[in-house]
Amino acid sequence: MIESIGVTENTSAVMTFTRGYLALFYTLVAAFYTIRIIVGKRSAHAELVHPGERYCASWWNHMTFRVFRVVIWLVCVCRYFFPATDSVLGRFTLLNHPEIILLGDLLLALGFSTVIVIHTTMGNHWRSGIDNTGPKKLITHGFFRYSRNPIFLAVACAQVGFFLALPSVFTLICLLVGLYILHRQVLCEESHLLRMFQQDYVNYTLKTGRWL
């Protein structure tokens, strides 16, 4: 009985911490990308976000991601101020274990930290989407030695973390849709890079995996 109460108290404490953690995390993600785009655009003197022609595959991928980012942020902030929001998310109570939730928190932090590091190392070469005038060169060093899509891989890691930190029908839908859209966008960008760099890109794909 004592052990059961202890586990319940531990789970409640972790869930309370994670409630605030998720609200802060996604607020920081939104702030990071906003500042990154504004500062990067001024520094590069060029547009950094290229969703593509309206209604093309890349455009739909971008729009879907934007909608989900806003919805996820709103849900996490609402959960912080109105805990009863959980009642409509379809929580998976069997996964409400402190170890699972904290693993999710860790994967979120790991994924986002990796994204920040890669952005920093790419400098003005970073673009969101497909820039029809670039990129000027094929980046194959650093993180790109181990994965052709290290940023997307880090984002996927964070998406898995979100599901584990808040196991629910809502986060499962976000995970499945997110992974599907990431894969679709990778295919679009690979086709573009193949047109831009031809044999150099083929050689790169032979040495480096799409994900790892």
Side-chain angles (χ1 to χ4, degrees), residues 16 31 35 37 52 64 77 84 122 128 143 146 172-173 200 204 209:
T16 298
I35 295 172
I37 291 170
T64 303
V77 171
M122 290 184 71
S128 175
F143 285 87
Y146 310 103
L172 179 59
I173 292 174
D200 286 343
Y204 177 47

Side-chain angles (χ1 to χ4, degrees), residues 4 8 13 18 20 25 27 57 60 74 89 120 124 131 161 173 187 196 200 203 208:
S4 176
T8 301
T18 300
F25 177 86
T27 298
W60 279 113
L74 286 174
L89 298 182
T120 302
N124 289 335
D131 181 358
I173 292 174
L187 295 181
M196 291 289 297
D200 286 343
N203 294 338
T208 307

Side-chain angles (χ1 to χ4, degrees), residues 21-34 73 112 116:
Y21 174 82
L22 290 178
L24 177 62
F25 177 86
Y26 282 104
T27 298
L28 290 177
V29 169
F32 169 76
Y33 275 104
T34 300
W73 176 74
F112 186 43
I116 293 175

Side-chain angles (χ1 to χ4, degrees), residues 30-45:
F32 169 76
Y33 275 104
T34 300
I35 295 172
R36 176 72 174 96
I37 291 170
I38 294 174
V39 174
K41 184 176 180 179
R42 291 177 179 175
S43 177
H45 302 290

Side-chain angles (χ1 to χ4, degrees), residues 176-190:
L176 295 178
V177 172
L179 294 179
Y180 174 68
I181 294 300
L182 281 178
H183 180 68
R184 277 172 49 96
Q185 186 61 21
V186 164
L187 295 181
C188 291
E189 296 190 8
E190 285 184 346

